[in-house]
Amino acid sequence: MLAELLGSPRSVAESRGSGRGYWIRLLPVLAVLVCLTRAPSFVRPLWNPDEGYLAVQARLLANGGELYETVVDRKPPLVPWLYEAAFAVCGSGSLTSVRVLAVVAQLSTAVLLASLARRRWGAAAGPTAGVLYLLASIGLNPEDAQAATFEVFMLPCTTAAMWCADRRRWGAAGLAVACALLAKQTGGAVLVPVVWLLWRSAAAPRSALVRLGVGLTVPVLSAALVTDPAGFLFWTVTGSSAYASFAGSELHVLVRGLVNTGILAVACAGLIPPVVRVLRIARTGSAELWLWLVSSAVAVLLGFHFFGHYYLQLIPPVALLATAALQILPRERLVTALLTSACCCTLFLAWGLLAPRPELAHAQRLAAALGQRTTPADRVLVWGIHPETYWLAGRTPATRYLTAGLLTNYSGGRDGPQVGEKYAVGGAWPVFRQEMSAHTPALVVDDSRGKPYAPDRVPSLRRLLAARYEEVGRVDGAVLYARVPGE
């Protein structure tokens, strides 16, 4: 069935298919493939701290919390709201509901890519683009590729922006760019190729730019007004200056960047050679796709952190460029690209199914200890970078800052030089001290385990522990402090 759908890679002049029949044949193939590639996401209760952060945020929001006020993060509101909605329908005890939404998001991205390719290069190009994308979509460390986090929900929005711009639907394109921005700031990079398509469209009226601008700005301004305009601006734009620098950790983050670039290159081993080959022998005439790739690469570089999940943004334009290249090359190149991609996908699938998750096991043991020593009504403080402990334990954080990173700058993957109280988000420590007084935690967990943000390097926390708490136990190197009676 798949071979029949793929057809010839040189079929630009062929019929584009019968519309409904075309999608009736293609959608089941893409749906089965996305379920297979996303299967590892369902075998773990949680994949990375971002999922844990979002789960805790969603619970707090469902219980009356206010985004950018009683719970904060350096991200726009769309994905926290999505988690909150999923929890409202299916309960907050499991991430299965958002994992299903992630499957839908990946399928939507593949379908939009297939539709773009079909419109540009003919019926056979659609399955090529959709299949190549899904095979490469899990080509990173499983904790980056399988987690239901920001980039996964951003990609259908960025792809929809290109889909709409390709059809000269400028208001809808602006709306899609806005959704991408509201999923994650770097999603706004897709505005570059969208504007390029608008500029190149000779038939576009002057009102097209207005429609694009309105479609973009109205949702973003609405999100700011629904939350808190000042808080929205601070937490999504102006409050991350220290985070968006790698001073003092240059080698640390560059090594991470090289490693993740190498991992993605392996995943795209079937896609890159056709693109390189075409660069040497012909031009694809797809300047907007190259702009999409370059702007996405700039977005990955922005902030100089190179976390693996950042690289997901590159895969849709690479899949389309490879599809374009395969329309020029002989048919055997298509077969080679698919087989290579399938083999690489199998490796990453096995990695996701079999790789151990020691940090998850640690968080689960720590959550069990919290459950034994506190009641659901108690507030607790977990001083670490694993907010999932709150979610696993079913306990309410004593502060709006769910990780030590926001109070020490360690959340940017720092390895020491610019980690400490003075590198915190602006104004965070006065608020933290107020919250410690207003909601004194029944239990404090020092989960730093020798990291640069340990309490002995954070004077305010060290004084708090010395004045009000005493050590009552240890779990895997994490130290538990209970409040001294009478404090």
Side-chain angles (χ1 to χ4, degrees), residues 29 128 193 253 297 368 445:
V29 174
T128 301
V253 296
V445 179

Side-chain angles (χ1 to χ4, degrees), residues 78-90:
L78 186 59
V79 182
W81 286 342
L82 192 64
Y83 266 64
E84 183 185 3
F87 283 1
V89 174
C90 301

Side-chain angles (χ1 to χ4, degrees), residues 266-462:
V266 171
C268 294
L271 283 66
I272 295 173
V275 176
V276 173
R277 178 73 174 171
V278 163
L279 281 175
R280 293 164 56 187
I281 66 173
R283 297 180 62 185
T284 65
S286 301
E288 63 278 2
L289 300 184
W290 286 104
L291 278 174
W292 189 9
L293 177 62
V294 171
S295 61
S296 297
V298 172
V300 171
L301 295 172
L302 196 66
F304 307 107
H305 297 295
F306 311 113
F307 291 121
H309 49 89
Y310 290 9
Y311 288 74
L312 291 171
Q313 193 167 352
L314 301 174
I315 300 177
V318 170
L320 278 183
L321 285 168
T323 301
L326 289 167
Q327 309 314 301
I328 298 172
L329 296 171
R331 178 180 176 80
E332 55 266 24
R333 297 282 183 176
L334 171 61
V335 176
T336 301
L338 287 170
L339 288 176
T340 304
S341 297
C343 290
C344 294
C345 179
T346 301
L347 290 175
F348 285 100
L349 192 60
W351 187 4
L353 291 170
L354 302 176
R357 294 283 295 130
E359 286 300 322
L360 173 60
H362 168 77
Q364 289 172 322
R365 287 190 289 269
L366 202 55
L370 283 174
Q372 292 171 359
R373 294 182 175 274
T374 61
T375 69
D378 290 330
R379 289 178 178 262
V380 298
L381 172 67
V382 179
W383 184 255
I385 57 171
H386 292 283
E388 60 266 30
T389 306
Y390 292 116
W391 177 69
L392 292 168
R395 296 296 183 263
T396 302
T399 175
R400 69 190 66 189
Y401 307 112
L402 303 185
T403 70
L406 295 173
L407 292 157
T408 64
N409 200 39
Y410 190 81
S411 58
R414 303 289 185 262
D415 62 349
Q418 287 201 350
V419 174
E421 199 168 331
K422 67 178 180 178
Y423 300 109
V425 172
W429 275 99
V431 173
F432 178 78
R433 295 186 191 100
Q434 291 173 5
E435 290 175 331
M436 289 301 98
S437 297
H439 309 295
T440 304
L443 194 73
V444 175
V445 179
D446 170 20
D447 195 29
S448 58
R449 291 176 285 162
K451 298 292 193 307
Y453 57 87
D456 60 0
R457 297 181 58 177
V458 183
S460 292
L461 182 62
R462 186 174 65 243

